[in-house]
Amino acid sequence: MSTSKSQIFIDTNRTIAPISPLLFGGFIEHMGRCVYEGIYDPKSPLADERGLRKDVLAALKDQAYTVMRYPGGNFLSGYNWLDGVGPKEKRPSRRELAWQSTETNQFGTNEFMDFCQAIDVAPMLGVNMGTGTIQAASDLVEYCNVDSGTYWSDLRASHGYRQPHNVRYWCVGNEMDGPWQIGHLDAAAYGNKALEAAKMMKWQDPSIKTVLCGSSNDQMPTYPDWDRTALEIAWEHMDYHSMHYYAGNRDNDTASYLASALGFESFVDTLDGTLRYVKAKRRSKHDVYLSWDEWQVWYKGDPMQGDWAEAPHLAEEIYNLEDALVVAQWLNVFLRKSHVLKIACVAQIVNVISWMHTRSDGLLKFPSYYAFKLVSNYAKGDALDVTVKAPYVPTKTYGDVPALDVSASYDAETQQGAIFVVNRSLTDTVTTELVWQDGQEVCLDQAWQLSGSDPKEANSWEEPNRLVAHAIPVPQMENGRSTLSLPPLSFTVLTTRTA
Ligand code: AHR
């Protein structure tokens, strides 16, 4: 690592944009044990009267989620939402083709709404653009959002839900650019179908917000043309454009993996440019923002096909310290890109590619659980444009990168702020000066740190608290300056108060 002096400059006047609360969202798919044995397990002694696992609900609340995307994912593209409503004993068991599992449909749209209410999050529903029709998409909006007096709204009431669900966020399909998707379409065919679906859906309820499928990741051969083409067609009918990405340390090159933020930022920058281009080309006054509605680390090779079992163990990744530091950087990127990124959903919230695993007798949390919890609870108000000077660390993939990855927030109403710092160096402590430039009297209030000496270190059922975020002594701040000592492989969160 180069040895130059490190400084972090913060000025509460230097804002990027308000932080959208919807950046702290989650994703639930009918895949593996996310729904069954994850959030819904009516036979478990840990379940409440609705069959929802109480320990999982408590952890999700602790993580302060704001929005929840459902029911898929690849599952969505073969799903008939009618299978999942009405009396449970009449719901069909079906072969689910995306994950080659058996879907019992005991959990569906209404159970999902109960779940959202239980943890106080906004629901975000997907409509099937694979095998599904634009009519079925429109019907689901009517079923969920129309008060009463029509076929679909009365059907909902007859299912025990008199009040409309008022679902505001709607994903128009899932990963339709992917050849693996049931009913995959090319960009123009998808753009046209999505436009017609969104038109009908918005005629049902003009207050809804729609999300267009973007590229499944930035390595797709059709990226970013897919995005441009679909956006050019459907622009005026869409409010968000989705991005998906799963990170991984596939080559066991931890230095490069710990610089993943650079890749995340460039993905956002390209799509930000695409949005501006399409808006200009269409001479439009309408804006479309980004919804990063699937993001997570996923590469460790667990099975992904269920052999037609009910709730098979699929993609139950074990997350370690390096994964948590990548998650922390991802959240930093969300703040730094908050001018264009307005929704983000971690995929998924329990068991499947998740930092939380259930067993019949308990719940295990991996280190990235704590990184998300700290940012979702403390990043409020405006994202700040932080200037960082830090020594460089060499990486194969990104060249020399600063050892520190930083974001910060400040809420002018409460006069509280937060600073989020990853030290991505594998070996070196970085001593940095924190410089508060706006002339206000500021003090550091609370401080936490997640750190370890081995990037592969993880929690286990035997040692569940090996890596958690600890409260650390709060550094002193005098005349707007403080010195922080940031250990290698660490994520530090500091909250601030101005007088
Ligand atoms: O989250 C798991 C899968 O990853 C989703 O079903 C799909 O959208 C993505 O490829």
Side-chain angles (χ1 to χ4, degrees), residues 341-374:
L341 202 50
K342 300 294 176 184
I343 301 179
C345 304
V346 67
Q348 302 181 9
I349 58 163
V350 64
N351 288 333
V352 178
I353 26 179
S354 176
W355 45 54
M356 227 163 67
H357 285 185
T358 59
R359 229 168 42 178
S360 57
D361 59 345
L363 188 62
L364 174 64
K365 297 164 182 170
F366 296 114
S368 43
Y369 171 97
Y370 301 97
F372 183 88
K373 174 185 160 174
L374 283 168

Side-chain angles (χ1 to χ4, degrees), residues 33 35 37-60 115 118 350-351 356-364 461:
R33 298 191 312 127
V35 172
E37 295 184 19
I39 57 174
Y40 181 74
D41 199 355
K43 293 203 181 106
S44 164
L46 298 171
D48 68 11
E49 63 295 348
R50 294 160 299 193
L52 300 172
R53 279 268 304 233
K54 286 186 278 192
D55 54 345
V56 175
L57 292 180
L60 297 171
F115 163 80
V350 64
N351 288 333
M356 227 163 67
H357 285 185
T358 59
R359 229 168 42 178
S360 57
D361 59 345
L363 188 62
L364 174 64
W461 288 100

Side-chain angles (χ1 to χ4, degrees), residues 81-91 108-111 113-114 139-140 142-144 150-163 165:
W81 65 266
L82 276 167
D83 287 348
V85 295
K88 289 194 176 174
E89 61 287 0
K90 292 204 178 137
R91 298 188 193 173
T109 304
N110 294 315
E111 289 78 23
M113 296 302 159
D114 291 340
D139 295 344
L140 182 58
E142 183 180 329
Y143 180 89
C144 289
T150 66
Y151 177 79
W152 294 108
S153 60
D154 289 347
L155 185 67
R156 184 197 67 239
S158 79
H159 292 158
Y161 293 82
R162 166 62 203 87
Q163 295 304 323
H165 297 312

Side-chain angles (χ1 to χ4, degrees), residues 129-152:
M129 289 287 106
T131 60
T133 60
I134 59 174
Q135 182 66 55
S138 159
D139 295 344
L140 182 58
V141 177
E142 183 180 329
Y143 180 89
C144 289
N145 287 10
V146 170
D147 189 10
S148 64
T150 66
Y151 177 79
W152 294 108

Side-chain angles (χ1 to χ4, degrees), residues 230-272:
L231 280 165
E232 282 183 10
I233 294 168
W235 182 266
E236 301 294 338
H237 298 266
M238 295 295 160
D239 303 286
Y240 301 93
H241 183 71
S242 81
M243 343 170 30
H244 290 181
Y245 190 78
Y246 292 94
N249 190 359
R250 290 175 189 87
D251 302 327
N252 198 17
D253 170 4
T254 295
S256 296
Y257 184 45
L258 288 179
S260 290
L262 281 89
F264 304 154
E265 291 201 306
S266 119
F267 192 12
V268 174
D269 289 344
T270 301
L271 290 175
D272 188 8

